[in-house]
Amino acid sequence: MQNNEELMREAISVAAVASHAGDVPVGAIVINSDGIVIGKGHNEREANNDPTAHAEIVAIRNAATRLQKPRLDGCTLIVTLEPCAMCAGAIAQSRISKVVFGAWDEKAGAVGSVWDVLRDPRSIFKVEVQSGVLEEECAALLTEFFKEK
């Protein structure tokens, strides 16, 4: 089984696809309990004119389609940027067990920086969270993208 840094590198490579398409370079992968990648996604908001097409949502949809079920119990989401409130809600609703993310989102992050949707004591679903995996590499993707804009 790959470690979290190797998996984050895979998410970083997925994020690069978004950047080439003009979308914010965020990448996400979903792995099952055996460590097998069952879903991938990058931001597709601009490409599809879809405000909900964040990397996490795309990866979750791909994983759910592959498994042919709406619940991803035992799965882990690896994403290059801290999920926003919408994505944190989707993570909880899909029953993902663990989230691993790279860079913090100090403006809209909902997994510890601005809010903590997934670990709020009032939440029905509890999700394990690991932050800061390859944080500098993940943040550099975003810094470079917005510098060019």
Side-chain angles (χ1 to χ4, degrees):
M1 187 183 302
Q2 295 176 302
N3 68 35
N4 287 342
E5 286 189 3
E6 292 170 333
L7 292 164
M8 186 61 74
R9 288 189 200 295
E10 189 167 347
I12 289 170
S13 70
V14 173
V17 176
S19 182
H20 297 308
D23 268 296
V24 177
V26 177
I29 61 174
V30 177
I31 61 169
N32 66 14
S33 58
D34 294 325
I36 297 168
V37 176
I38 58 169
K40 293 183 180 184
H42 57 78
N43 275 355
E44 297 179 2
R45 290 171 39 109
E46 301 297 324
N48 295 333
N49 295 313
D50 181 355
T52 68
H54 288 199
E56 301 94 315
I57 303 289
V58 175
I60 288 167
R61 285 177 181 157
N62 287 338
T65 298
R66 182 168 179 185
L67 295 179
Q68 291 296 294
K69 61 182 188 174
R71 293 193 175 138
L72 303 175
D73 300 288
C75 293
T76 299
L77 174 76
I78 296 95
V79 60
T80 58
L81 181 65
E82 177 186 6
C84 68
M86 174 184 70
C87 292
I91 290 163
Q93 289 300 313
S94 67
R95 312 296 201 276
I96 285 177
S97 299
K98 182 176 181 179
V99 171
V100 176
F101 71 87
W104 290 93
D105 185 346
E106 300 296 334
K107 293 180 181 176
V111 187
S113 60
V114 179
W115 301 287
D116 199 344
V117 172
L118 298 178
R119 294 176 289 187
D120 188 300
R122 297 165 292 185
S123 294
I124 297 171
F125 309 107
K126 303 300 181 220
V127 180
E128 181 183 346
V129 175
Q130 181 182 356
S131 59
V133 175
L134 299 181
E135 180 177 357
E136 290 180 13
E137 290 179 45
C138 293
L141 284 171
L142 298 162
T143 301
E144 288 301 313
F145 177 81
F146 286 113
K147 191 183 296 182
E148 291 176 15
K149 290 280 179 193

